[in-house]
Amino acid sequence: MEHTVIPAIASLNRKDNEGARNLLRIALQVLIVRAVNVIILASDDMSNLLPRDDPLLKRCVNPMDALARSTIQWAKSMHQNL
């Protein structure tokens, strides 16, 4: 990831959106090939690089969605323990 994610962030900081987009796609494809089950893009800037209908983006989880799901699971488990 140090050869794709960090350079993607650097490209994004240089306003090189195309370079950042290409590096992000490579990073996501590498993770998918390595059978990663969940990819959380913790940066809105990174997730906004790809079009909303991009198949790679559909494999990623929005961090706010992940937090909401986790909070709901925690609340349900607390309710069951009462």
Side-chain angles (χ1 to χ4, degrees):
M1 294 292 91
E2 71 183 88
H3 298 293
T4 53
V5 176
I6 293 171
I9 293 168
S11 293
L12 190 59
N13 290 336
R14 289 191 313 271
K15 308 290 187 219
D16 176 12
N17 289 344
E18 185 177 347
R21 184 178 305 113
N22 291 336
L23 289 166
L24 177 60
R25 280 192 170 118
I26 292 168
L28 294 175
Q29 289 171 349
V30 166
L31 290 170
I32 291 167
V33 166
R34 291 185 179 177
V36 171
N37 292 326
V38 177
I39 302 169
I40 298 177
L41 290 179
S43 164
D44 284 337
D45 292 335
M46 294 297 265
S47 62
N48 290 335
L49 283 173
L50 301 175
R52 292 279 174 218
D53 62 345
D54 191 299
L56 288 174
L57 190 58
K58 291 180 181 184
R59 301 285 306 263
C60 299
V61 175
N62 179 297
M64 291 307 289
D65 290 345
L67 178 61
R69 284 188 198 107
S70 177
T71 302
I72 291 168
Q73 286 179 332
W74 175 81
K76 284 180 179 179
S77 73
M78 293 302 292
H79 181 29
Q80 290 174 352
N81 290 332
L82 294 178

